[in-house]
Amino acid sequence: MNKRMHIEVRGCVQGVGFRPTVYRHAVEAGLSGFVLNALSGVVIEVEGPPARVRRFLDRLREAPPPQARIDALEAREVPPTGAAGPFVISRSERSGDVAAGMPPDLATCDDCRRELFDPADRRAGYAFINCTNCGPRFTIIRSLPYDRPRTSMAGFPMCRACEAEYTDPLDRRFDAQPNACAACGPRLTLRDAHGDELTGHPIAETARLLEQGETVALKGLGGFHLACRADDSRAVERLRRDKARPHKALAVMFASIEQVRRHCRTSPETEALLQTPAHPIVILPRRPDSTLSSLISPDTDDVGVFLPYTPLHLLLLAEISPLVMTSANRAEEPIISDFAELSPDILGRVAHFALDHDRPIVRRCDDSVVRFAAGAPLPIRRSRGYVPAPVRLPVAGGSVLACGGELKNTFCVTRGGDAFLSQHVGDLTEWAACRFYESAVRDLVGLLGVQPTVVAHDLHPDYLSTRFARKARLAPLFGVQHHHAHIAACLAENGRQGPAIGVALDGTGYGPDGTVWGGEFLEASLTSYRRAARFEWLRLPGGDAAVKHPVRIALSLLVTVFGPDEGARLAAELLPGLAAKDRGILLQVLRIPQRSPNTSSAGRLFDAVSSLLGLCDTITYEGQAAIRLQTAAERAGIRPDPAPVEVDAGSEVAVVSFAPFVRRVVRERRAGTDRREIAALFHATVAGAVVHTCSMLRERTGLEEVALSGGVFQNSLLTAWTIEALAAAGFRIWRHRHVPPNDAGVCYGQAAVAVANHGSNH
Ligand code: ZN
Ligand code: ZN
Ligand code: FE
């Protein structure tokens, strides 16, 4: 007596070799039936003797394809049809659904890597080798369903050998949409600054140019990189000068994990993360004896490293490694994805050669960046390799478009309980980023096939994302306060709805009272929040312009704590980077409230302290002063007891003042204390202030859960010390693991708040 089962599998199950795996298991078990891609997953029917059907189900659960992610597998018995015949893969019903049909780009798998370096293989040395388990996806798909004619591989008709693999269910390239070989697929071209093709083997020639210290633009998966030798300070210095990027850290690609170990301290967790299919950049401590140029990350002892994730990278790094690999773009603009965009700002100025290829990049996608803090991954940028896989929401409802913030912008679109976060867009202060933003929003909304019922946005009226929300008129608007969004993001990714104490230590966020917020303690749930406490105000002399000059904020901090006269004297003594003339002007400006807005920003406090210690007077990139402060604290190698804070709990919003710490800094500096120790003391003091304030709020509210978010928590030392101190005080702590704590996570929080508030309507 035969048994027939109808099985539905949901999750990331399309474009990852799921149906061929099902096919193999069914054929091995000798069953009849079919498998097909349906709207939201894979549908299977199998028929045969009960024992074999059971074995098939066990195999499916035990041995799914490596890149698949099964969220749900439902099997129910249906009446046998009696139809014999072989098991078939039905190709009739393809999915147009992004959740199932569009996986992220996948790093080259081990099988393809072996073939790539096997001289006997027909694809030996072929820079576009891929299979059902690896290769480009998100960056080549023009529209869904995911099928070759709707990808940027459409212009490459398969040769007979490739076609045979593509149509054979037992081949590991069955239905691999980007399948190609040297006879039929994309090709590399090495070009000079005029765009003319150079002779010789493109990879060997590129390696030769790099060896000589040249910078070469390399077309990769989601855009162009600028590459140069990472162990040649002259090459790195020139890249920095020509790209006008004097200090911000550059990522380094290594040929192998063994080579990474020689230059950086790794752990089993960081090594595993480096080798996941996403192949993110992982920030690791550099070994003191590393031969990497010290110019790679002059502000820290860390270096962002990653492994080759395309065959092109594998072939090149096999010739020359390690290489600096930084996105080819102008400042915080989107990554460049087409050769024509390179000139003349990049090609001919930064790089004089470009390793180009003829497979178009449909979607720009920058590399992802992850660091480790308190023993767990802390995303800094969630982009290539992760996008467009959704992040779950603990609430479900109508579709929300959440427009995100301004710097490091990402946006997201929700459907049901899934939030689809965009790739890294960039700073929406740059014209090119704004253009990319608008097209990327339309792209993602279109791919998901949803009509947003709510458009969530930041309260800042001048953010371009807010203006876009107003202008686009896609749906009713819903404003979400910036730090509520940060905390909601942290709660939601942990499956929590609150209420909890939310600690948002951040740079800048618009407060509904018109001041700039950024050192905030909220009593927050997904639906609402109350500002329970904040950091003491600091004046920003001259407004936002002060952000580029931490020394001006340091002056403001001294004036806040010591008053204008004593503050000015101390500034003359402790801030040599501030000219007497500028000091005089700034003291005037500080007297005019309209020209010196108040901010409770934690980021500005870090800036001020960094400058007070002589670490950074003017920044060349966002976060630089805080990064130098963290580096100094780490180099101290000590963990001091926190300095006390003053808390004024008399008003509705309690105020946390670091004045006792600032007074101590002045004493310690006069006593000649090592500034690294003062930097460590500051980190301990901020962690202590968080615990102190949370304890006070726990007494008042009974809340025992604390969610940590905001860009300041990119600081792994602060994150670790804060988590440890909160845990010791008995709090239950939620921190980020999937979504960045910086403004790239704001869209997800906006979406969580909007869905939580509108969920009942749908
Ligand atoms: Zn592969
Ligand atoms: Zn071929
Ligand atoms: Fe923020």
Side-chain angles (χ1 to χ4, degrees):
M1 182 60 190
N2 277 354
K3 185 174 176 178
R4 189 175 184 90
M5 298 291 283
H6 178 92
I7 303 153
E8 294 187 15
V9 192
R10 284 196 305 278
C12 187
V13 290
Q14 295 182 11
V16 289
F18 203 87
R19 288 170 307 152
T21 303
V22 169
Y23 178 90
R24 276 193 291 277
H25 292 334
V27 169
E28 273 168 31
L31 301 173
S32 66
F34 65 85
V35 55
L36 57 81
N37 280 341
L39 190 66
S40 59
V42 165
V43 171
I44 307 161
E45 288 202 1
V46 286
E47 185 167 336
R52 291 196 201 167
V53 170
R54 207 165 40 242
R55 195 174 83 208
F56 168 79
L57 274 170
D58 288 345
R59 290 289 294 154
L60 192 60
R61 289 201 178 94
E62 287 159 12
Q67 303 318 333
R69 190 197 71 241
I70 297 179
D71 291 339
L73 190 155
E74 285 162 20
R76 64 188 152 87
E77 203 169 337
V78 292
T81 63
F87 189 86
V88 293
I89 295 179
S90 161
R91 300 179 65 168
S92 58
E93 193 181 333
R94 282 186 162 275
S95 171
D97 187 276
V98 67
M102 194 168 186
D105 297 308
L106 300 165
T108 305
C109 73
D110 291 343
D111 290 334
C112 286
R113 183 184 310 228
R114 263 190 298 277
E115 289 179 3
L116 184 65
F117 291 106
D118 174 3
D121 192 272
R122 76 182 188 93
R123 287 189 181 82
Y126 181 54
F128 300 90
I129 188 171
N130 67 83
C131 71
T132 40
N133 290 326
C134 77
R137 300 285 188 272
F138 179 68
T139 51
I140 61 162
I141 297 174
R142 293 192 201 280
S143 65
L144 291 170
Y146 177 37
D147 206 355
R148 190 171 179 109
R150 281 175 292 270
T151 71
S152 63
M153 288 299 291
F156 300 95
M158 273 180 277
C159 68
R160 275 172 59 192
C162 287
E163 180 83 36
E165 296 163 339
Y166 182 78
T167 49
D168 174 3
L170 289 178
D171 193 278
R172 68 185 195 86
R173 293 194 168 87
F174 171 73
D175 218 23
Q177 304 308 339
N179 188 32
C181 72
C184 67
R187 281 159 210 262
L188 295 171
T189 311
L190 180 60
R191 301 182 190 280
D192 65 16
H194 307 289
D196 295 333
E197 187 171 344
L198 273 74
T199 53
H201 190 286
I203 288 180
E205 278 303 295
T206 301
R208 196 180 57 79
L209 290 165
L210 290 165
E211 178 73 43
Q212 290 169 357
E214 290 282 349
T215 300
V216 181
L218 306 174
K219 186 173 178 182
L221 202 53
F224 274 86
H225 282 117
L226 293 167
C228 76
R229 279 177 64 163
D231 53 1
D232 177 350
S233 281
R234 279 206 344 256
V236 180
E237 188 178 11
R238 200 175 57 220
L239 172 59
R240 285 199 173 284
R241 188 194 63 214
D242 295 344
K243 203 178 178 240
R245 176 170 165 150
H247 305 117
K248 192 176 181 182
L250 299 164
V252 179
M253 187 179 272
F254 289 91
S256 66
I257 193 77
E258 291 76 22
Q259 201 179 37
V260 172
R261 282 185 204 132
R262 260 179 264 141
H263 293 272
C264 299
R265 287 205 303 276
T266 63
S267 67
E269 292 79 22
T270 53
E271 289 193 8
L273 184 59
L274 279 168
Q275 297 174 86
T276 53
H279 270 51
I281 294 169
V282 180
I283 298 174
L284 296 175
R286 183 205 309 222
R287 288 189 183 281
D289 60 347
S290 162
T291 53
L292 291 180
S293 163
S294 58
L295 299 176
I296 286 186
S297 51
D299 292 333
T300 84
D301 297 325
D302 296 332
V303 54
V305 313
F306 55 158
L307 293 170
Y309 55 83
T310 69
L312 167 56
H313 297 141
L314 283 163
L315 292 167
L316 182 62
L317 274 281
E319 306 264 332
I320 180 164
S321 172
L323 293 177
V324 166
M325 288 274 233
T326 185
S327 297
N329 56 6
R330 284 168 287 260
E332 301 303 319
E333 287 188 1
I335 188 167
I336 287 170
S337 63
D338 188 77
F339 180 79
E341 292 175 44
L342 279 176
S343 39
D345 278 3
I346 306 276
L347 198 62
R349 213 173 99 188
V350 188
H352 293 274
F353 302 92
L355 183 56
D356 190 20
H357 63 69
D358 55 357
R359 186 181 72 201
I361 294 172
V362 174
R363 278 185 197 77
R364 301 164 204 278
C365 202
D366 274 272
D367 295 314
S368 296
V369 183
V370 186
R371 73 180 313 154
F372 265 69
L378 181 70
I380 303 296
R381 182 195 286 163
R382 183 184 183 275
S383 200
R384 178 191 50 75
Y386 297 96
V387 171
V391 182
R392 291 291 296 168
L393 287 166
V395 285
S399 178
V400 171
L401 165 64
C403 296
E406 177 152 86
L407 301 182
K408 305 177 176 152
N409 175 277
T410 64
F411 61 90
C412 82
V413 182
T414 73
R415 196 182 54 189
D418 284 325
F420 295 85
L421 279 67
S422 76
Q423 70 271 50
H424 171 75
V425 174
D427 290 356
L428 293 186
T429 50
E430 308 291 334
W431 182 76
C434 298
R435 254 189 7 174
F436 175 42
Y437 177 78
E438 299 199 4
S439 70
V441 169
R442 297 212 163 80
D443 175 44
L444 187 58
V445 169
L447 280 175
L448 283 164
V450 294
Q451 181 62 48
T453 52
V454 175
V455 174
H457 61 85
D458 197 271
L459 295 181
H460 200 304
D462 298 329
Y463 276 6
L464 188 117
S465 54
T466 307
R467 290 195 194 158
F468 172 81
R470 295 228 175 85
K471 192 182 70 183
R473 294 175 183 275
L474 291 167
L477 301 182
F478 184 79
V480 181
Q481 199 279 326
H482 189 88
H483 303 102
H484 185 208
H486 273 306
I487 297 305
C490 182
L491 288 171
E493 76 153 84
N494 285 289
R496 310 299 294 178
Q497 299 192 45
I501 299 168
V503 181
L505 301 189
D506 201 28
T508 297
Y510 189 85
D513 60 356
T515 66
V516 179
W517 292 17
E520 310 302 318
F521 295 81
L522 311 178
E523 291 166 32
S525 67
L526 293 190
T527 46
S528 64
Y529 77 95
R530 188 184 85 79
R531 191 189 203 189
R534 62 164 172 84
F535 280 10
E536 170 72 297
W537 276 327
L538 254 177
R539 287 198 182 280
L540 280 181
D544 275 350
V547 174
K548 291 217 159 52
H549 304 281
V551 71
R552 299 184 188 173
I553 309 169
L555 170 70
S556 171
L557 182 63
L558 290 172
V559 168
T560 305
V561 173
F562 296 96
D565 298 336
E566 177 69 5
R569 268 196 300 278
L570 287 169
E573 179 188 338
L574 299 175
L575 302 174
L578 189 62
K581 188 171 121 258
D582 292 344
R583 194 170 62 238
I585 296 169
L586 288 164
L587 286 166
Q588 295 285 333
V589 171
L590 279 169
R591 289 205 183 92
I592 311 165
Q594 296 87 337
R595 291 189 60 198
S596 297
N598 279 322
T599 178
S600 54
S601 166
R604 296 300 82 78
L605 180 67
F606 273 75
D607 291 348
V609 171
S610 182
S611 182
L612 214 46
L613 299 186
L615 296 169
C616 190
D617 291 336
T618 297
I619 59 169
T620 64
Y621 63 92
E622 197 218 346
Q624 183 176 19
I627 285 171
R628 287 189 178 172
L629 191 58
Q630 178 186 343
T631 303
E634 285 168 343
R635 286 178 181 170
I638 55 165
R639 183 163 179 183
D641 290 331
V645 287
E646 286 166 3
V647 179
D648 175 358
S651 53
E652 196 192 325
V653 180
V655 176
V656 182
S657 164
F658 290 85
F661 167 78
V662 176
R663 286 192 288 267
R664 181 151 162 209
V665 171
V666 171
R667 285 200 306 275
E668 302 279 3
R669 289 228 55 196
R670 282 179 168 158
T673 306
D674 187 332
R675 59 190 184 177
R676 295 174 300 185
E677 290 180 16
I678 309 175
L681 173 68
F682 176 65
H683 282 73
T685 300
V686 175
V690 168
V691 176
H692 183 89
T693 311
C694 288
S695 300
M696 183 188 82
L697 296 176
R698 176 167 59 183
E699 254 166 55
R700 272 192 204 168
T701 62
L703 296 174
E704 298 192 327
E705 297 186 21
V706 176
L708 303 175
S709 191
V712 171
F713 282 112
Q714 293 172 100
N715 181 321
S716 50
L717 184 69
L718 179 75
T719 296
W721 285 3
T722 303
I723 287 175
E724 284 167 28
L726 282 168
F731 287 98
R732 189 167 185 200
I733 302 141
W734 304 111
R735 45 87 47 100
H736 286 286
R737 286 163 198 263
H738 302 291
V739 174
N742 60 43
D743 282 8
V746 159
C747 68
Y748 174 70
Q750 291 170 344
V753 174
V755 172
N757 275 287
H758 291 82
S760 55
N761 299 350
H762 301 279

